[in-house]
Amino acid sequence: MHNIAIDGPAGAGKSTIAKEVAKKLDFIYVDTGAMYRAMALYFLRQGIAAEEEEKIAAACDDVQVSIAYEGGEQQVLLGEENVNDFIRTEEVSMMTSNISKYAAVREKLLHLQRELAATQNVVMDGRDIGTCVLPHADVKIYLTASAAERARRRYKELIDRGGDCDLDQIEKDIIARDEQDMNRKISPLCQAADAVFVDSSNLTIEQVVAEIIGIYGEKTY
Ligand code: DC
């Protein structure tokens, strides 16, 4: 199986790029952030607070997260329910960052992610794919962009979806989430030693996609 790992902070463009690379190579795109988001949604619905680690660890035994594909788009399921439409709010984003530091949460999803990559060619994006989930991936990319640029992209995405939001607040939330994701004890966001660093601040989607396909080609042929 061939695996491409793309890690980086919030809003760096990982999912857009990973989806495009997957399409071009005919691989499956796996959005691991969506899996963590589904777990966070479950805990929120259960009325469990982010600080209640024991309750969260216990609830991990009950929660069932899986993914399916509809029209080529990843859908994340909580039990039988497709929760794709509920996992992108700011509340869920922050809860996700808060609960993704717990060992029980990470272990639960690690198995699922490795299983997917063992049975299919995948482009997988997240925070710890190159460093922890798929240490032997064919290609590892650390994709980032300036916080201001990432906030602008997120703002545009929310406005395009008809939302109402504040650019400064988005930038603050992004910085807070990065801080937390980079400084947690277990599997923090960091560049794997053998990952290629790509700053997308001044690159188009097409340029980044072409670079990754080029690196993949060099490594595998
Ligand atoms: O990629 P995203 O913004 O959807 O991820 C949401 C949160 O999930 C992110 O703030 C940290 C966590 N996450 C993680 O800890 N490990 C991953 N592999 C993917 C996401």
Side-chain angles (χ1 to χ4, degrees):
M1 288 300 137
H2 289 298
N3 299 160
I4 296 179
I6 304 182
D7 291 301
K14 299 186 297 293
S15 63
T16 309
I17 304 283
K19 252 185 227 171
E20 207 46 42
V21 171
K23 206 194 280 174
K24 285 213 152 70
L25 295 174
D26 202 18
F27 284 17
I28 301 282
Y29 164 54
V30 181
D31 172 359
T32 62
M35 297 176 185
Y36 283 96
R37 285 171 181 272
M39 300 264 287
L41 179 69
Y42 178 82
F43 303 138
L44 282 171
R45 284 178 173 179
Q46 295 290 312
I48 304 175
E51 301 73 39
E52 297 181 297
E53 183 172 1
E54 273 178 27
K55 279 194 190 169
I56 286 180
C60 279
D61 293 336
D62 306 327
V63 55
Q64 275 198 336
V65 175
S66 59
I67 60 168
Y69 289 87
E70 251 174 44
E73 288 286 317
Q74 176 184 301
Q75 310 294 318
V76 59
L77 309 178
L78 255 186
E80 306 269 290
E81 183 191 359
N82 182 336
V83 292
N84 256 34
D85 289 344
F86 310 114
I87 57 174
R88 303 280 162 202
T89 62
E90 281 307 309
E91 184 194 18
V92 172
S93 296
M94 217 40 189
M95 180 68 171
T96 308
S97 182
N98 289 334
I99 57 101
S100 61
K101 63 177 182 258
Y102 297 132
V105 173
R106 302 207 72 82
E107 255 159 47
K108 175 107 193 176
L109 295 180
L110 179 65
H111 297 298
L112 176 60
Q113 291 160 7
R114 284 196 176 146
E115 218 173 87
L116 287 165
T119 51
Q120 292 156 100
N121 293 327
V122 296
V123 180
M124 190 175 280
D125 80 7
R127 302 293 187 288
D128 62 336
I129 311 305
T131 51
C132 170
V133 180
L134 305 176
H136 305 297
D138 300 284
V139 173
K140 296 180 187 179
I141 304 291
Y142 188 84
L143 184 67
T144 190
S146 68
E149 178 58 25
R150 291 187 284 119
R152 260 197 301 278
R153 290 176 187 169
R154 177 90 186 121
Y155 175 80
K156 189 175 176 302
E157 197 182 301
L158 290 170
I159 295 289
D160 287 351
R161 262 195 244 152
D164 178 25
C165 53
D166 174 42
L167 182 59
D168 285 342
Q169 190 55 46
I170 291 177
E171 187 169 343
K172 281 193 193 116
D173 288 350
I174 278 187
I175 292 170
R177 200 139 70 84
D178 290 351
E179 272 281 310
Q180 182 152 275
D181 295 342
M182 288 171 172
N183 292 302
R184 66 178 176 226
K185 285 207 188 74
I186 309 170
S187 304
L189 167 65
C190 68
Q191 185 181 344
D194 51 352
V196 177
F197 180 89
V198 179
D199 183 336
S200 72
S201 304
N202 298 307
L203 296 174
T204 63
I205 292 167
E206 293 73 27
Q207 285 171 319
V208 180
V209 170
E211 182 170 353
I212 296 174
I213 303 264
I215 296 169
Y216 175 75
E218 279 167 24
K219 293 248 168 130
T220 53
Y221 294 113

